[in-house]
Amino acid sequence: MAAAGGSGSSGGGSPVAAGGNRRLKYISLAVLVVQNASLILSIRYVRTLPGDRFFATSAVVMAEILKGVTCLLLIFIQKKGNLKQFAASLYDSIVVQYMDTLKLAVPSLIYTLQNNLQYVAISNLPAATFQVTYQLKILTTAVFSVLMLRKSLSRLQWLSLVLLFVGVAIVQVEQQQAGGRSPPGGQGMQQNYMVGLVAVVVSCLSSGFAGVYFEKILKGSAASVWLRNVQLGIFGTLLGLLGLWSTEGAAVAERGFFFGYTPLVWGVILNQAFGGLLVAVVVKYADNILKGFATSFSIVVSTVASIYLFDFHLNLLFALGAGLVIGAVYLYSLPKGPLASRSLAGTATEDQGHTAQSKELPSVTTDGFLSKSVLVN
């Protein structure tokens, strides 16, 4: 999910306004935690149920389609229902300014790959392990930001990145000491821990690169957040269909595009499609500290839920690693001190999962906390 760097509760104002902003921040926190934890838990649940398994590639495509249609509807509402203005605006933004549209092909390709890899990772790793390991996207985003955008990090942020890496490493050691058995809660499917680990690491690398690349090419863009998601959705749908055809084409042709779909699967897809858009709206009320706290708290929620839902076994080593990751995420979210060097890159835009953000939001930065919806932005 994309992350907005500014806070919506700044400055003075009346006590009523201040109270309203405070409530919005708490609401934003709840939305971010629920979105961050529920999607991972629900995907893990539907992918480990016994019986027919749906095609993950088809779920990625469906989420893209639903998100694109929703954004088109929102643009239509912005045009006050004027069909002529709506069509003219889309034609000008997508066709006439085709070079601007083509810029989104690369991040869209990476996001599509990332979405599919996350399905692979969550299908093969315990939800809590995935949630902790996936925070490596903060590290990859920071490194790519320094290399590609010449951004600078404070000493505290570098320290937090070291703690993050150590925490994730401890969690992986704990998992290896567990004996290499299939992760708990996967009675209905064959699982491979190393496949899941490689998938989540590659997903973190792609998330970091795509977010920074997206920021680099769209810096200063005046396009709306909804239009950017339509443009991304066009490429995402086409590339998703290509991926589906190349990897599972024969099986889909034989069994059907919607094979294995249940109400729970549709719930996951709707969460992917609309959850990221909802987060794109609420993050403007959340500052970096709140977003960091939301990410940390969602790790706790995922771990506790995994104990009850998937018979996940929490031990001291995992708790130590997860604790380091939670602390690192919070430390990284703290604002830089007055003597710390500032970013050399200026105003930015990020998408972590692929929910595009723009000047509609007060200030948008690539901070790595909230990617697209975890899967489809």
Side-chain angles (χ1 to χ4, degrees):
M1 297 161 232
S7 171
S9 60
S10 62
S14 68
V16 174
N21 283 333
R22 197 177 304 113
R23 284 192 294 272
L24 286 173
K25 288 187 69 170
Y26 289 136
I27 293 172
S28 300
L29 172 63
V31 170
L32 295 176
V33 171
V34 170
Q35 164 65 13
N36 222 1
S38 67
L39 186 59
I40 295 171
L41 292 169
S42 60
I43 291 175
R44 176 68 184 171
Y45 184 74
V46 298
R47 294 297 283 176
T48 55
L49 285 175
D52 296 332
R53 294 181 63 196
F54 66 98
F55 299 111
T57 49
S58 73
V60 170
V61 171
M62 277 307 304
E64 287 289 347
I65 292 174
L66 289 174
K67 182 163 64 70
V69 170
T70 302
C71 290
L72 285 172
L73 179 60
L74 291 170
I75 294 174
F76 183 69
I77 294 174
Q78 285 181 340
K79 300 299 179 182
K80 303 185 186 306
N82 188 315
L83 186 59
K84 185 176 180 180
Q85 285 188 12
F86 170 73
S89 173
L90 289 180
Y91 179 77
D92 178 69
S93 301
I94 297 175
V95 180
V96 175
Q97 302 180 44
Y98 66 94
M99 290 302 297
D100 189 52
T101 302
L102 288 176
K103 289 180 181 179
L104 298 175
V106 172
S108 185
L109 171 63
I110 298 174
Y111 288 135
T112 302
L113 171 66
Q114 180 186 347
N115 294 342
N116 284 282
L117 284 174
Q118 286 174 331
Y119 265 110
V120 174
I122 297 174
S123 299
N124 287 280
L125 295 175
T129 303
F130 172 84
Q131 183 80 309
V132 170
T133 309
Y134 191 59
Q135 301 314 310
L136 281 176
K137 68 184 184 289
I138 299 175
L139 173 62
T140 60
T141 301
V143 172
F144 282 120
S145 294
V146 171
L147 295 177
M148 296 172 62
L149 299 178
R150 298 180 58 234
K151 287 189 174 181
S152 61
L153 302 178
S154 67
R155 291 180 180 178
L156 182 61
Q157 287 178 315
W158 281 115
L159 173 62
S160 69
L161 293 177
V162 173
L163 292 176
L164 175 69
F165 183 83
V166 171
V168 171
I170 290 175
V171 168
Q172 304 314 315
V173 169
E174 184 276 331
Q175 291 293 302
Q176 292 300 318
Q177 289 183 353
R181 63 180 184 273
S182 286
Q187 297 86 348
M189 57 177 288
Q190 288 293 111
Q191 297 173 85
N192 186 314
Y193 180 82
M194 287 308 299
V195 168
L197 180 59
V198 170
V200 73
V201 170
V202 175
S203 181
C204 288
L205 286 170
S206 64
S207 174
F209 177 79
V212 175
Y213 179 87
F214 192 71
E215 173 180 348
K216 187 177 179 67
I217 65 175
L218 295 183
K219 191 180 303 175
S221 171
S224 74
V225 62
W226 313 125
L227 176 61
R228 286 306 185 196
N229 275 285
V230 170
Q231 292 171 318
L232 285 166
I234 292 172
F235 291 110
T237 301
L238 295 176
L239 293 169
L241 287 171
L242 180 62
L244 181 149
W245 175 79
S246 62
T247 59
E248 299 175 312
V252 171
E254 177 184 351
R255 300 180 179 181
F257 185 89
F258 297 106
F259 174 78
Y261 275 46
T262 64
L264 286 176
V265 174
W266 279 110
V268 169
I269 293 173
L270 291 173
N271 193 351
Q272 293 171 8
F274 301 129
L277 296 177
L278 177 61
V279 169
V281 174
V282 303
V283 290
K284 65 180 178 179
Y285 301 109
D287 55 25
N288 275 338
I289 296 177
L290 190 68
K291 288 181 292 180
F293 183 78
T295 302
S296 301
F297 192 57
S298 67
I299 295 175
V300 176
V301 171
S302 295
T303 302
V304 173
S306 295
I307 294 173
Y308 291 97
L309 293 176
F310 309 119
D311 194 28
F312 180 75
H313 301 293
L314 179 65
N315 60 30
L316 183 60
L317 201 57
F318 183 91
L320 173 62
L324 285 174
V325 171
I326 290 171
V329 170
Y330 179 75
L331 288 176
Y332 189 84
S333 69
L334 294 176
K336 293 182 179 181
L339 298 180
S341 34
R342 295 184 177 180
S343 166
L344 301 176
T347 306
T349 305
E350 179 223 2
D351 185 333
Q352 205 285 252
H354 166 126
T355 298
Q357 303 245 3
S358 75
K359 283 185 175 179
E360 280 192 313
L361 302 184
S363 160
V364 186
T365 57
T366 305
D367 60 20
F369 291 121
L370 303 169
S371 54
K372 39 183 209 162
S373 88
V374 173
L375 294 177
V376 181
N377 300 323

